[in-house]
Amino acid sequence: MDEIIVKKVASKKELDDFIHVVDIIYQNCPQYVPDFESDVKDIFDSRKNSGLEFSNVQPFVAYRGDKAVGRIVGIVNHRANEKWKTHNVRFSMIEFLDDLAISRALLNSVEEWGRSYGMDSIQGPLGITDFDKEGMLIEDFDMLGSIITIYNPEYYPRHMEALGFKKETDWVQIRVNVPKEVPVRYARVAQYAKEQVGLRVLTLTDKDITKRQYGRKIFKLLNEAYSPLFGFSEISGQQIDEFVGKYLQLIDKQLMPVVINDKGELVGATVTMGSLARATQKAKGKLLPFGWFHLLKALKWKHEDTVEMLLIGVRPDYQGLGVNAMFFNHLIPIYNKYGFKWAETGPQLEDNFKELSQWKVLNPEYIKRRRCYIKTIQ
């Protein structure tokens, strides 16, 4: 067998190999949902990813002979390391054929690269921010992936353990049947929050998102709400503008209500959207020439049967005052109107008991456990 050679991505061909190595790994895999090629390229473009202002990022491709057989990205997020008093290099977007020589070579390359920046531990999969894909799937490999989460083959965790990586933390996702009626408990708490706390639900418009600055307000709120969570580093104003421009304006505003108090201040935000998993599979990672049509169809005309609850954030001083119940009370009738049968959250930290407890009323199923691994750099 030829030796495994890992190269830093430094040319168009190597970037193409980085993007398309997944075509080999996931051929005939019905659960895999590809990234859009344009999104992958944007990660490494400082004009489109302001996270590069405070992070060093280096993509690598592994070759056997002239054939690409794996990839990985190394990330040193200086802002996160400063906040958490760590010296971690992150790995992200790791993909490899089932050969320990490939996974070892990829991870060793990131370790060596991280060492050059003075890092003493390697952790991942993690992106630059908490809004990037994170956590290696360690169970439920037979379930359909999504556009916001990592899907990987079942052999990936085995490689991590064989290479000496240990669990740092896990995330789980929650899947529930969308009830036909709002549960009594949610309705009661929502009524209390409205009458006694002075809260109300607001459905935004495109003008609210941009001209009235609600897009920026939402992400500033998420910065505040998510600050104590594992690995989180605050996103900058420029990053917020990128997220707002790229994502929020595309989402059906009926599916992303906010909660304001009697002073008109934003105290809660949620971003949900109909699943685009099947549409993205049909697009095969390309918006052109016809990929955009599959997405538009799923967004506007023919919804898939699952709604993805991407983000929920509540201002710390309003947590426990019924904001989440107001969201459920408002959204459940809309989900039924749209024909959604299932609701699925994004990854939730396994020890975030306050967040996980809110789902008990809906008899939740805990699925798709994901893991962040860590290892000391030798």
Side-chain angles (χ1 to χ4, degrees):
M1 296 286 286
D2 292 334
E3 180 184 2
I4 302 299
I5 303 296
V6 178
K7 297 182 180 181
K8 292 181 178 179
V9 172
S11 68
K12 181 180 183 300
K13 180 188 180 303
E14 289 159 356
L15 181 56
D16 286 343
D17 288 341
F18 179 93
I19 291 171
H20 291 292
V21 70
V22 294
D23 298 344
I24 302 168
I25 296 168
Y26 295 102
Q27 59 183 330
N28 303 318
C29 178
Q31 295 84 17
Y32 175 67
V33 178
D35 293 313
F36 281 98
E37 293 180 16
S38 57
D39 289 341
V40 175
K41 291 177 181 178
D42 287 352
I43 293 171
F44 311 116
D45 187 340
S46 60
R47 297 168 298 179
K48 298 181 178 180
N49 183 1
S50 56
L52 298 177
E53 292 180 2
F54 56 86
S55 299
N56 296 98
V57 176
Q58 178 60 60
F60 298 85
V61 180
Y63 293 91
R64 174 171 278 134
D66 60 358
K67 180 181 178 183
V69 292
R71 75 180 191 192
I72 199 169
V73 177
I75 299 170
V76 177
N77 182 328
H78 300 285
R79 183 175 290 170
N81 279 328
E82 181 178 352
K83 174 178 179 177
W84 297 100
K85 308 277 192 293
T86 54
H87 297 87
N88 293 332
V89 57
R90 301 177 172 191
F91 68 89
S92 181
M93 302 185 76
I94 185 170
E95 305 283 2
F96 49 87
L97 296 174
D98 192 4
D99 183 333
L100 199 61
I102 301 172
S103 54
R104 178 185 289 113
L106 287 167
L107 288 158
N108 283 349
S109 294
V110 172
E111 288 182 27
E112 183 178 349
W113 178 79
R115 194 182 296 114
S116 72
Y117 285 95
M119 301 298 106
D120 57 25
S121 295
I122 177 172
Q123 64 175 173
L126 292 171
I128 294 177
T129 77
D130 235 27
F131 303 110
D132 298 321
K133 295 182 179 183
E134 56 189 6
M136 182 174 286
L137 191 68
I138 63 171
E139 63 184 27
D140 292 333
F141 302 100
D142 60 333
M143 299 185 74
L144 179 66
S146 77
I147 63 169
I148 64 160
T149 57
I150 293 171
Y151 180 86
N152 54 260
E154 55 83 24
Y155 60 82
Y156 278 30
R158 295 205 307 268
H159 281 240
M160 301 304 298
E161 292 166 10
L163 294 171
F165 283 79
K166 306 295 183 184
K167 171 185 173 179
E168 185 170 20
T169 194
D170 278 3
W171 296 265
V172 294
Q173 289 177 249
I174 292 90
R175 181 176 171 87
V176 298
N177 284 106
V178 175
K180 295 301 181 184
E181 303 290 341
V182 176
V184 172
R185 178 180 173 185
Y186 288 153
R188 184 175 63 248
V189 174
Q191 189 69 20
Y192 168 85
K194 179 181 178 180
E195 295 178 352
Q196 302 299 320
V197 188
L199 304 181
R200 65 185 179 93
V201 176
L202 179 66
T203 299
L204 301 176
T205 65
D206 286 331
K207 185 178 288 188
D208 289 328
I209 294 290
T210 54
K211 293 187 177 180
R212 296 192 180 97
Q213 299 291 304
Y214 267 94
R216 291 180 65 87
K217 291 177 183 178
I218 287 170
F219 279 101
K220 287 179 179 178
L221 173 67
L222 294 174
N223 266 341
E224 190 176 0
Y226 291 178
S227 180
L229 300 182
F230 168 80
F232 185 80
S233 62
E234 183 176 298
I235 58 173
S236 66
Q238 189 172 343
Q239 283 180 293
I240 289 173
D241 290 340
E242 290 169 357
F243 287 140
V244 171
K246 195 168 188 178
Y247 301 114
L248 289 195
Q249 295 186 66
L250 295 176
I251 296 175
D252 186 334
K253 303 307 176 293
Q254 296 291 319
L255 300 178
M256 50 173 291
V258 298
V259 170
I260 60 175
N261 63 16
D262 53 9
K263 298 178 182 178
E265 299 169 334
L266 183 70
V267 299
T270 184
V271 180
T272 79
M273 67 181 294
S275 173
L276 297 177
R278 296 297 186 195
T280 305
Q281 287 179 328
K282 292 175 183 176
K284 298 181 179 178
K286 296 182 179 180
L287 285 172
L288 298 174
F290 302 117
W292 63 270
F293 175 75
H294 296 295
L295 297 183
L296 186 63
K297 182 178 178 182
L299 283 168
K300 302 290 187 181
W301 306 315
K302 189 176 181 181
H303 300 293
E304 298 179 27
D305 65 1
T306 299
V307 60
E308 295 185 358
M309 307 190 75
L310 308 182
L311 301 167
I312 299 179
V314 179
R315 210 170 81 179
D317 56 333
Y318 277 82
Q319 291 175 7
L321 295 180
V323 176
N324 286 338
M326 295 193 79
F327 285 137
F328 293 132
N329 186 62
H330 179 81
L331 284 169
I332 286 171
I334 295 174
Y335 290 167
N336 278 291
K337 176 184 174 183
Y338 280 40
F340 295 127
K341 298 177 181 177
W342 302 92
E344 189 172 304
T345 72
Q348 316 268 300
L349 285 164
E350 65 174 351
D351 58 358
N352 190 353
F353 303 115
K354 184 186 295 184
E355 180 71 18
L356 294 176
S357 66
Q358 67 179 314
W359 302 99
K360 289 182 179 179
V361 177
L362 297 174
N363 300 311
E365 178 185 7
Y366 296 90
I367 61 171
K368 299 180 182 178
R369 180 173 290 271
R370 301 168 191 283
R371 180 157 295 172
C372 177
Y373 291 92
I374 192 166
K375 188 179 83 166
T376 300
I377 295 176
Q378 302 300 323

